[in-house]
Amino acid sequence: LDVGCGTGWVSWYFAWRYKDMKLDVEGVDCSPVMLDRARVVVPGGRFTRGDVCALTHDDDAFDVVTTVYTLRNFPNLERGLREMYRVCAPGGVVIILDAFPAKNFAMRCVLYAWLELVMPLVAMLFTRDAKAYRYLSASIRATAAVEEVTEMLYECGAVRVEIAKYTFGAAARLVAHKAA
């Protein structure tokens, strides 16, 4: 299950990368426009409109539940993580890849300059609207830290959480394992 699947590219990647496994790819998103695009990107996938904080799927329904760069858009982070964990099957994993506030002062400065100054200028060349990029910067700064998200996953019942940090902690992958 790809939570916050957007246009379906993460779902497409999983279907392509693990094609020998013949995965049943499913995505959920709150935007009908994004879901329409996802259905084009992954013709064999199943895409439904929904809310991460109130998933309509059965308990223990998916071996893998993932979300990529969407945590900052969850209406309630803890409730969303609980729902993702609830629909994850015993022995399965919840995989999160996202941007997080950098702890390192130098990296925070670099990210601030990039997201607040450079990206809006680049966006203006193509879209004439820098607002979305300013939102991105503010939302990343407001996102819970990796350690907080990890603690929430343990509170959901994870038996192990693996963390891989990228770009000096500005992004991270968390893999939460559910007991078999």
Side-chain angles (χ1 to χ4, degrees), residues 68-74 77 97-104 107-117 119-120 131-149 166-172:
V68 177
Y69 293 107
T70 55
L71 287 184
R72 65 184 165 276
N73 298 314
F74 284 15
L77 179 58
L97 175 63
D98 219 312
F100 291 94
K103 288 192 171 244
N104 178 292
M107 192 60 192
R108 278 198 316 268
C109 292
V110 168
L111 282 174
Y112 179 83
W114 178 256
L115 293 170
E116 287 287 331
L117 306 172
M119 285 304 296
K131 188 171 132 185
Y133 291 92
R134 289 210 170 86
Y135 163 76
L136 178 64
S137 176
S139 67
I140 291 170
R141 287 194 315 272
T143 298
V146 171
E147 295 78 13
E148 291 175 71
V149 175
Y166 309 104
T167 323
F168 303 102

Side-chain angles (χ1 to χ4, degrees), residues 35-68:
L35 291 167
D36 287 343
R37 181 69 185 134
R39 290 181 188 104
V40 172
V41 171
V42 188
R46 182 171 164 226
F47 296 95
T48 56
R49 187 170 182 196
D51 176 0
V52 65
C53 294
L55 295 172
T56 58
H57 305 85
D58 292 338
D59 293 357
D60 307 327
F62 300 94
D63 293 322
V64 177
V65 180
T66 189
T67 190
V68 177

